[in-house]
Amino acid sequence: MQINGNFLKIQKNYLFSDIAKKVAAYKAANPDADVIRLGIGDVTRPLAPAVIDAMHKAVDEMAREETFMGYPPEWGYDFLKRAINENDFAARGVKLADDEIFVSDGAKSDCGNIGDIFSADNTVAVCDPIYPVYVDTNIMGGRSGDLIDGRWSRFIYMPCTADNGFVPEKPKAHADLIYLCYPNNPTGASITREQLEGWVAFALENGSVILYDAAYEAYITTPGVPHSIYEIEGAKKCAIEFRSFSKTAGFTGTRCAYTIIPHDLKASDGTELNALWARRQATKFNGVSYITQRGAEATFSEEGKRQVRETIDFYHGNADIIYNGLKGLGYEVYGGVDSPYVWLKTPEGLSSWEFFDLLLNEVQVVGTPGAGFGPAGEGYFRLTAFGSRENTRRAVERIAKL
Amino acid sequence: MQINGNFLKIQKNYLFSDIAKKVAAYKAANPDADVIRLGIGDVTRPLAPAVIDAMHKAVDEMAREETFMGYPPEWGYDFLKRAINENDFAARGVKLADDEIFVSDGAKSDCGNIGDIFSADNTVAVCDPIYPVYVDTNIMGGRSGDLIDGRWSRFIYMPCTADNGFVPEKPKAHADLIYLCYPNNPTGASITREQLEGWVAFALENGSVILYDAAYEAYITTPGVPHSIYEIEGAKKCAIEFRSFSKTAGFTGTRCAYTIIPHDLKASDGTELNALWARRQATKFNGVSYITQRGAEATFSEEGKRQVRETIDFYHGNADIIYNGLKGLGYEVYGGVDSPYVWLKTPEGLSSWEFFDLLLNEVQVVGTPGAGFGPAGEGYFRLTAFGSRENTRRAVERIAKL
């Protein structure tokens, strides 16, 4: 038996465990310290009442033989795909067929598993800094080459910094698969319609596929910023879009997401990528819990939409407090407007980790060092809007004392 | 962009859609016909009351900020892994560490995704007939070679027929990965301790890994038949085991399963397969819904165990009716004792599909043609115990009229 040797190439991602260790060490040395955590990208607000009601109802259906639900469709129940289609696409003028929507247990699963349908020979372009899943899954899939000076030899890196507004330049070399995430994790940046049009045009010209992660689209507040890549003409021929209920409706612990693969997206021999993914999911996946899908459907009811919007508004309130608070203190801050993430330039030439240590040791606030997301994240730092209002306020007050 | 060309090799599995089409055509021609379906491998009894209670409670926890649960651990909550370990292993004398247990959304997902950690160069041995997922996922993973005369050139086929009691001979050529499923789908056969010892010894001698699908272990009634491959000395060094709550506790629509990879299972360079799978799951999976995991945990409470056992006993009652009924009618029948599946030899030299047509057209009973599970399934037919008691009885009465 031979293992997949690509797994041995992956360095353990120590970012969050390193953070946890540093926090634990600090708390061991300072047992009474009141540490405020604004580092983690997980939500904290409870599920919307409409979702709770729908899930209780679905649980009761599972209790009676007449309403019991067995194996779900591998691609999602029609009731949920229809609700997604109407609310997330038709309402924005995007026309999709229901069978272009694949419901799953998470955008992380889909972002990772999508590699199954592509050849290992493809060249991958990734933003820097980046959500590590795109990188690690392509290492596992044999598309990375070797690690040379901290970069994988077969990846095309696209730096995202304040200089380019965190929207990268087009790659100079040919890229088969281009990962874009907007609103962006970790920088909190959004992409304008014109910029996204440029990317679609580039992908169409070059025969590239854009893997578009729109998990944070619900946080967009700027008018005109596209919520879906399919708002751009031609995108159906070059883009796969990943969506999630995690950050939209607080489903990080409930697990539901979906991926769009339009029928128009085809390989050079005419094979529809939709058909490949349908086969992949039917073979290696068995669908999402009925109870979860009823909960996800409820986010699209009138009251569900209102409740979900209230929670997002709440997180936006936190983002405003962080963004405006730090700006008022003279920090160079980004994101926060179309995103739950605030990305800031570390002061006075401090490295990401030095600023982390400073915040933890001096004012007991925990954030995430930008360098943990990639080399171009060095000198930046991420704070998230997912804490309580009180802790968010207190964190900014403490940073003011630095 | 290049697709994974292996996907184009996969023939559409028409088995269940062919069955659906034939049934639909029959019903169109005979609108008043009362068709009894004993073909599908999906459960029909509601979830146990203990599971329902636990899920309602978990839903309520998700409704309050103080008890809300965000991202679950990618490998499962400790409370569920401990319950699994105590009840499914320690209680049978098998000692596992909790971190040898990986909770997931389904055995189909795990059986499919496990290929990620193995090289495409491995040689795969499969039983015939077989659960198609093992075959299709290895085609996708590049381990099949070409289809020649209905068989994949790089697979080792191990026929399972009445002659060998549906437990195959050891492969003559070297096999890196050996798929075994006991109690077996589709034949309903179980494997004795001595036979399983022989397989473990063979795998240890040859450096093979056994991928052991024990999704039906809860149906074992014969004393001494192993419920887990780890009941066999040495198995921790050569076997991965797949388990599921689907058939045990009716979770086909609720989605929870688990996979065991012992630390002792190592590649020749000493790499633990456990570490590779941990990394795979942490990178391409985000854990199972908290609500679902609380439901799964409840199957191990005293009342949960009793309720789950009642449902399995009910299905066993159906299996007895089918097995004994058909045997009394002179059919050659197998399975049914340690399994919800009854596997029968088609009468008078009828092919699997001819017998299917006969049952549908003459007595309006739907089963599954054995040939749909592989060439060696030709001349066999599968009936399942997952129907209602009344329909099961009526199906046998009808078959008696043939």
Side-chain angles (χ1 to χ4, degrees):
Chain A
M1 176 271 301
Q2 296 84 46
I3 59 167
N4 174 352
N6 296 309
F7 272 68
L8 302 182
K9 293 182 176 182
I10 299 177
Q11 304 161 292
K12 279 186 185 156
N13 188 334
Y14 288 115
L15 176 61
F16 287 99
S17 66
D18 279 355
I19 291 173
K21 272 182 211 155
K22 281 182 177 255
V23 173
Y26 180 83
K27 291 203 78 162
N30 305 276
D32 298 329
D34 171 25
V35 174
I36 299 176
R37 294 162 195 267
L38 297 181
I40 196 155
D42 197 358
V43 298
T44 55
R45 303 287 296 170
L47 294 179
V51 172
I52 294 293
D53 289 348
M55 291 205 292
H56 276 308
K57 189 161 165 263
V59 170
D60 283 334
E61 288 182 72
M62 299 299 271
R64 297 199 320 277
E65 184 160 7
E66 311 80 59
T67 50
F68 175 79
M69 302 298 280
Y71 285 118
E74 285 103 344
W75 309 317
Y77 277 109
D78 285 342
F79 65 76
L80 179 54
K81 294 198 288 183
R82 271 197 298 267
I84 290 168
N85 204 346
E86 282 171 27
N87 290 280
D88 285 349
F89 297 97
R92 296 196 179 278
V94 176
K95 279 190 192 167
L96 292 178
D98 287 350
D99 69 357
E100 296 177 316
I101 300 169
F102 295 88
V103 175
S104 82
D105 65 309
K108 185 177 168 192
S109 304
D110 289 353
C111 284
N113 292 331
I114 197 74
D116 281 10
I117 69 169
F118 295 110
S119 162
D121 296 330
N122 287 313
T123 299
V124 172
V126 291
C127 293
D128 173 20
I130 193 171
Y131 177 48
V133 164
Y134 314 144
V135 169
D136 288 350
T137 58
N138 278 294
I139 299 171
M140 290 176 176
R143 297 186 195 90
S144 66
D146 299 309
L147 190 64
I148 298 170
D149 295 337
R151 285 158 200 265
W152 295 95
S153 58
R154 283 185 52 208
F155 286 169
I156 298 171
Y157 287 85
M158 306 185 293
C160 298
T161 62
D163 293 337
N164 56 25
F166 308 101
V167 176
E169 305 299 311
K170 310 292 185 303
K172 301 276 182 285
H174 175 73
D176 295 300
L177 306 177
I178 300 170
Y179 285 84
L180 294 178
C181 170
Y182 287 100
N184 186 253
N185 178 16
T187 69
S190 55
I191 192 166
T192 66
R193 174 174 297 274
E194 293 65 33
Q195 287 171 321
L196 196 52
E197 282 170 352
W199 277 99
V200 168
F202 178 84
L204 290 171
E205 270 166 39
N206 292 277
S208 310
V209 173
I210 296 174
L211 298 162
Y212 195 73
D213 185 345
Y216 296 92
E217 67 78 29
Y219 289 83
I220 294 171
T221 59
T222 304
V225 165
H227 288 243
S228 165
I229 195 168
Y230 305 116
E231 293 179 40
I232 309 300
E233 181 80 31
K236 285 187 184 178
K237 294 188 174 171
C238 66
I240 292 173
E241 182 165 297
F242 303 101
R243 292 278 195 107
S244 172
F245 292 90
S246 285
K247 306 302 165 71
T248 307
F251 269 48
T252 54
T254 306
R255 313 303 316 137
C256 198
Y258 61 91
T259 288
I260 309 295
I261 309 191
H263 289 296
D264 286 348
L265 181 54
K266 293 175 186 174
S268 51
D269 69 347
T271 303
E272 287 189 14
L273 270 55
N274 179 290
L276 299 186
W277 185 245
R279 170 49 63 118
R280 194 271 168 211
Q281 291 298 80
T283 306
K284 295 176 143 188
F285 183 61
N286 226 332
V288 174
S289 160
Y290 173 73
I291 299 161
T292 302
Q293 292 194 59
R294 282 294 183 197
E297 180 194 28
T299 66
F300 297 113
S301 68
E302 282 314 306
E303 59 171 347
K305 280 194 271 198
R306 187 175 43 74
Q307 293 162 354
V308 161
R309 177 49 50 195
E310 281 169 8
T311 298
I312 291 172
D313 288 347
F314 173 85
Y315 291 136
H316 261 306
N318 287 347
D320 288 349
I321 290 168
I322 299 170
Y323 184 93
N324 293 322
L326 293 182
K327 197 165 187 175
L329 294 170
Y331 283 87
E332 204 178 315
V333 285
Y334 304 95
V337 176
D338 295 323
S339 163
Y341 297 131
V342 175
W343 188 245
L344 60 108
K345 194 93 192 68
T346 55
E348 299 155 24
L350 289 180
S351 76
S352 294
W353 278 107
E354 285 166 351
F355 188 65
F356 174 91
D357 290 334
L358 183 74
L359 280 194
L360 175 60
N361 293 321
E362 300 301 320
V363 295
Q364 295 79 54
V365 171
V366 178
T368 312
F373 298 102
E378 180 56 270
Y380 291 93
F381 198 80
R382 192 186 78 173
L383 291 171
T384 77
F386 293 129
S388 69
R389 184 60 45 95
E390 190 195 352
N391 277 345
T392 303
R393 281 215 183 91
R394 288 168 63 225
V396 173
E397 287 164 11
R398 288 185 185 185
I399 294 172
K401 293 182 191 150
L402 272 180
Chain B
M1 176 272 302
Q2 297 85 44
I3 59 168
N4 174 353
N6 295 310
F7 272 68
L8 302 181
K9 293 182 174 183
I10 298 177
Q11 305 160 294
K12 278 186 183 156
N13 189 333
Y14 288 115
L15 177 61
F16 287 99
S17 66
D18 279 355
I19 291 173
K21 272 182 211 156
K22 280 181 178 254
V23 173
Y26 180 83
K27 290 204 80 163
N30 305 275
D32 298 330
D34 171 25
V35 174
I36 299 176
R37 295 164 194 265
L38 297 183
I40 196 154
D42 197 358
V43 299
T44 55
R45 304 287 294 170
L47 293 179
V51 171
I52 295 294
D53 289 348
M55 291 204 292
H56 276 309
K57 189 162 164 263
V59 170
D60 283 333
E61 288 182 74
M62 299 299 270
R64 298 199 320 277
E65 185 161 6
E66 311 79 60
T67 51
F68 175 78
M69 302 298 280
Y71 285 119
E74 285 103 345
W75 310 317
Y77 278 108
D78 285 341
F79 65 75
L80 179 55
K81 295 198 287 181
R82 270 198 298 268
I84 289 168
N85 203 346
E86 282 171 29
N87 290 279
D88 285 350
F89 297 97
R92 295 195 180 279
V94 175
K95 279 189 192 168
L96 292 178
D98 287 350
D99 69 357
E100 295 177 317
I101 300 169
F102 296 88
V103 174
S104 82
D105 65 310
K108 185 177 168 192
S109 304
D110 289 353
C111 283
N113 292 331
I114 196 74
D116 281 9
I117 69 169
F118 294 110
S119 162
D121 297 329
N122 286 312
T123 300
V124 172
V126 291
C127 292
D128 172 21
I130 193 172
Y131 177 48
V133 165
Y134 313 144
V135 169
D136 288 350
T137 57
N138 278 294
I139 299 172
M140 289 176 176
R143 298 185 195 92
S144 66
D146 299 311
L147 191 63
I148 299 170
D149 295 337
R151 285 160 200 266
W152 294 95
S153 58
R154 283 185 53 206
F155 286 169
I156 298 171
Y157 287 85
M158 306 185 293
C160 297
T161 62
D163 293 337
N164 57 26
F166 307 101
V167 177
E169 305 299 311
K170 310 292 184 304
K172 302 274 183 285
H174 175 72
D176 295 300
L177 306 176
I178 301 171
Y179 285 85
L180 295 177
C181 170
Y182 288 100
N184 187 253
N185 178 15
T187 69
S190 55
I191 192 165
T192 67
R193 175 173 297 273
E194 293 66 32
Q195 287 171 322
L196 196 52
E197 283 170 352
W199 277 100
V200 168
F202 178 83
L204 290 172
E205 269 165 38
N206 292 276
S208 312
V209 172
I210 297 174
L211 298 162
Y212 194 73
D213 184 347
Y216 297 92
E217 67 78 29
Y219 289 83
I220 293 171
T221 59
T222 305
V225 166
H227 288 243
S228 165
I229 195 168
Y230 305 116
E231 293 179 41
I232 309 300
E233 180 80 31
K236 285 187 184 178
K237 294 187 175 174
C238 67
I240 292 172
E241 183 165 297
F242 303 101
R243 292 281 195 103
S244 172
F245 292 90
S246 285
K247 306 302 165 72
T248 308
F251 269 49
T252 54
T254 306
R255 313 302 317 136
C256 198
Y258 62 92
T259 288
I260 309 295
I261 309 191
H263 290 296
D264 287 348
L265 181 55
K266 292 174 186 174
S268 50
D269 69 348
T271 304
E272 288 190 15
L273 270 57
N274 180 291
L276 300 186
W277 185 244
R279 169 49 64 116
R280 193 270 168 212
Q281 291 298 81
T283 306
K284 294 177 144 188
F285 183 60
N286 226 333
V288 174
S289 160
Y290 173 73
I291 299 161
T292 302
Q293 292 195 58
R294 282 295 183 197
E297 180 194 29
T299 66
F300 297 113
S301 68
E302 282 314 307
E303 58 171 348
K305 281 194 270 198
R306 187 175 44 72
Q307 293 161 355
V308 161
R309 177 50 50 196
E310 281 169 9
T311 298
I312 292 171
D313 289 347
F314 173 86
Y315 291 136
H316 261 305
N318 287 347
D320 288 348
I321 289 167
I322 300 170
Y323 184 93
N324 293 322
L326 294 181
K327 195 164 187 175
L329 294 170
Y331 284 87
E332 204 177 315
V333 285
Y334 304 95
V337 176
D338 295 323
S339 164
Y341 297 131
V342 175
W343 187 245
L344 60 107
K345 193 94 191 68
T346 55
E348 300 155 23
L350 290 180
S351 77
S352 294
W353 277 107
E354 286 166 351
F355 189 64
F356 174 91
D357 290 335
L358 183 75
L359 280 193
L360 175 60
N361 294 321
E362 299 300 320
V363 295
Q364 295 79 53
V365 171
V366 178
T368 312
F373 298 102
E378 180 55 272
Y380 291 93
F381 198 81
R382 191 186 78 172
L383 291 171
T384 77
F386 293 128
S388 69
R389 184 59 46 92
E390 188 193 354
N391 277 345
T392 303
R393 281 216 181 89
R394 288 167 64 225
V396 173
E397 287 163 13
R398 289 185 185 185
I399 294 172
K401 293 183 191 149
L402 273 180

